[in-house]
Amino acid sequence: MKFMMILNDIDWFWSHRLPLAKAILNKGWDLNLATHNADKDQKLRDMNVIGWALPKHGRGSDIINQFALMLGIYKNIKQCQPDIIHAITIRYAFYAGLVTRIMGYKPVVFTVAGLGSLYTAPGFKMKLLRAIILPLLRFAFGGSTKNGGKFIIFQNPDDQQAMISTNIVKIENTAVIRGSGVDITEFSYASYEETEELPIILFTSRLLKEKGIEDFIEAARILKLEGVQARFQVAGDVYADNARSMTRGAMQAAHDTHVIEWLGQVSDMPDLLRRSMMVVLPSYYGEGVPKVLLEAAAMGRPIITCDAPGCREAVKHDVNGVLVAPQNAVELAREIKALMQDSERRFRYGAAGRARVEKDFHADFVVQKTMDAYINLLSKA
C-alpha cells in the first residue's frame, strides 16, 4: 500500500505529524512525503520515508510560484501512483484537490487545518478573492464519492459549518478531528512553582499579525506602565515571504525598549512552557486548533486566548482558561493582570486543561481517528 502525505513544511511534519507517520509505517504501508526539501532530508530516509520535492510555497500572490507548486504536486502523484493521498492545510488541500479532480484520482483525504483569513478578512480585495476561490474549492473538494472519493477532515466545527453552508462540501463526506494531537508524555503536567524571579507571560506562535502579536505587545506595554512586574516573552520568528508577518525591525524595537523579550525560534517547548506562568495567544487568524494551546494545557498552564474558531476548541471559558474579544489589548491586559493575581484560579485552569487534553486531544486518540478515516475510505475503494 502506497501512502502519500502532502503538506506545506518539513518542520511542520516533524512537529505536528510524526505520530501519524509512525502509525502509517506501523501499518506496513509505504509512506511518501511531498513537501519542500523532503527529498534531501536524511531523517526521513532513516525512518524509511520516501521524500518527494516540492517548490517552496512562497507568497500566495505569486501566481507563477503557486502554479509551480500545483504542477509539482501533479508530477509527484503521477510518478508515485499512491493508493491513498492525504493533503494537509487549506492551500495544499486545495491544490491537491484540483490536481486529483482533473486526474480522476481517488481516494483522497484533506485536512483543513484552519481557514486562515479566507472567510474572515474584510475589504473589497478579499471579497473578490472569495468570489474566485470558493467555486474552485467546490470543484477541488467535490466529485464522485464512488470508489473511495474524497473525505475532508476539519479541526473545528466552525470551519466545517462554513464550508458546508457555502456548498463546498457535504456533511457526510466530512469529520471533525480536533488538532494533530499532543504527546502527553513529552508535554507532561508540571505545576507552576512560584519563585522570587519575575513570572513569565508567554506568547508563542508564528509572528503573524492575525495571531495577535501586536495586541500582546500592546498589552505588555499597558501592564508595564501600570507597574506590573512580569517578563513578557515572545517565542517565534518573522516570515519575510508573508505580507501579514511582523517585521524584524518592529520586533527588535519592542525587544530593545524592554516591552517584551523576543526569544526567536525555540526548540525546547516543554522547558519554555514549564518556566511560564501562563500562555497568551490572542489569535483571530482562523485557526484549526492551535497546537501550542494544547501543549500548554497538557502541561497544566492556564491560557488566555480569543473567542475565535479553533481557539475556543482548545479553551473553554473559565474552565481551563479565559476567552477574550479579538483585537482588544485593553481587555487582554486586564485579564492577564487578574489571572496573575489569582493563584487558585490558575491552578484550577491548569488541572482542567490537562484533563481535557488527556480525554480529547492526546496524540494516540487523534491518530486512531485519522487512521480510521483512511481505512474507511480504502474499504469503499
Side-chain angles (χ1 to χ4, degrees):
M1 181 71 69
K2 282 186 180 181
F3 185 103
M4 174 167 275
M5 185 182 295
I6 303 170
L7 48 74
N8 61 337
D9 187 81
I10 189 71
D11 291 335
W12 202 79
F13 169 80
W14 294 115
S15 64
H16 285 66
R17 293 295 172 177
L18 185 57
L20 179 60
K22 289 178 178 178
I24 291 165
L25 292 169
N26 288 340
K27 190 76 176 172
W29 297 350
D30 291 336
L31 176 56
N32 297 263
L33 175 66
T35 192
H36 180 58
N37 281 340
D39 58 322
K40 300 174 183 176
D41 195 294
Q42 184 59 46
K43 284 199 298 181
L44 286 180
R45 288 193 284 270
D46 292 342
M47 272 186 71
N48 292 321
V49 176
I50 303 166
W52 295 80
L54 285 178
K56 194 173 182 180
H57 56 71
R59 288 177 180 264
S61 58
D62 184 345
I63 301 301
I64 294 175
N65 175 267
Q66 301 308 303
F67 180 77
L69 181 55
M70 189 162 59
L71 183 62
I73 291 171
Y74 168 79
K75 288 179 177 178
N76 286 346
I77 292 173
K78 186 175 182 182
Q79 187 173 347
C80 177
Q81 292 290 307
D83 297 290
I84 183 169
I85 298 165
H86 186 177
I88 302 170
T89 75
I90 182 66
R91 185 187 303 191
Y92 283 68
F94 173 50
Y95 292 158
L98 289 176
V99 165
T100 53
R101 181 76 187 270
I102 292 166
M103 296 174 77
Y105 216 97
K106 46 191 173 242
V108 186
V109 177
F110 307 105
T111 289
V112 177
L115 293 175
S117 56
L118 179 62
Y119 278 78
T120 57
F124 174 76
K125 191 175 180 180
M126 280 306 299
K127 286 183 179 179
L128 181 62
L129 182 63
R130 279 192 284 272
I132 297 169
I133 291 293
L134 294 187
L136 290 173
L137 279 170
R138 205 168 289 128
F139 176 82
F141 291 167
S144 172
T145 57
K146 294 179 181 179
N147 300 321
K150 297 179 178 181
F151 190 79
I152 300 92
I153 296 171
F154 294 95
Q155 294 195 338
N156 65 69
D158 296 275
D159 292 352
Q160 182 190 42
Q161 186 54 44
M163 283 204 166
I164 289 171
S165 65
T166 47
N167 298 314
I168 291 171
V169 297
K170 296 180 180 178
I171 191 169
E172 60 267 24
N173 298 329
T174 71
V176 174
I177 300 177
R178 291 173 169 84
S180 51
V182 177
D183 184 335
I184 60 175
T185 302
E186 180 184 8
F187 293 89
S188 57
Y189 182 85
S191 58
Y192 177 71
E193 295 183 7
E194 303 275 1
T195 68
E196 293 182 1
E197 296 180 1
L198 295 181
I200 293 171
I201 314 301
L202 178 66
F203 175 104
T204 174
S205 177
R206 293 183 296 157
L207 299 184
L208 305 180
K209 293 175 182 178
E210 291 97 329
K211 296 281 189 175
I213 178 59
E214 290 177 311
D215 300 317
F216 180 78
I217 293 172
E218 181 59 25
R221 185 177 286 111
I222 291 169
L223 291 171
K224 291 211 167 185
L225 287 172
E226 292 179 2
V228 172
Q229 298 295 303
R231 299 169 65 186
F232 295 87
Q233 293 190 342
V234 174
D237 210 347
V238 298
Y239 290 80
D241 289 336
N242 194 319
R244 301 190 304 275
S245 173
M246 294 290 285
T247 65
R248 191 167 298 279
M251 291 303 301
Q252 195 63 50
H255 176 86
D256 291 344
T257 54
H258 307 293
V259 177
I260 60 163
E261 298 173 34
W262 184 26
L263 308 177
Q265 211 66 31
V266 175
S267 58
D268 192 345
M269 281 304 300
D271 179 64
L272 185 63
L273 290 168
R274 190 177 295 109
R275 291 185 286 106
S276 303
M277 174 184 275
M278 70 181 76
V279 171
V280 178
L281 183 70
S283 173
Y284 51 96
Y285 174 69
E287 306 276 1
V289 178
K291 192 165 187 276
V292 67
L293 296 187
L294 301 179
E295 291 168 347
M299 295 194 68
R301 291 298 168 268
I303 298 164
I304 300 177
T305 190
C306 281
D307 189 6
C311 294
R312 55 175 168 252
E313 294 301 303
V315 175
K316 288 190 176 181
H317 184 68
D318 202 33
V319 175
N320 66 310
V322 177
L323 296 176
V324 298
Q327 296 181 272
N328 191 329
V330 173
E331 181 187 1
L332 182 63
R334 185 173 64 244
E335 294 297 342
I336 292 172
K337 185 177 181 178
L339 196 53
M340 285 181 66
Q341 296 171 342
D342 194 340
S343 59
E344 185 280 328
R345 190 155 60 109
R346 293 200 311 270
F347 176 80
R348 175 163 53 87
Y349 287 173
R354 175 67 184 190
R356 288 197 74 220
V357 171
E358 288 180 349
K359 180 176 181 292
D360 295 325
F361 295 104
H362 67 78
D364 292 347
F365 176 78
V366 170
V367 166
Q368 187 57 57
K369 289 191 73 173
T370 308
M371 293 296 295
D372 289 345
Y374 299 156
I375 291 165
N376 183 54
L377 206 59
L378 285 167
S379 68
K380 294 177 182 177

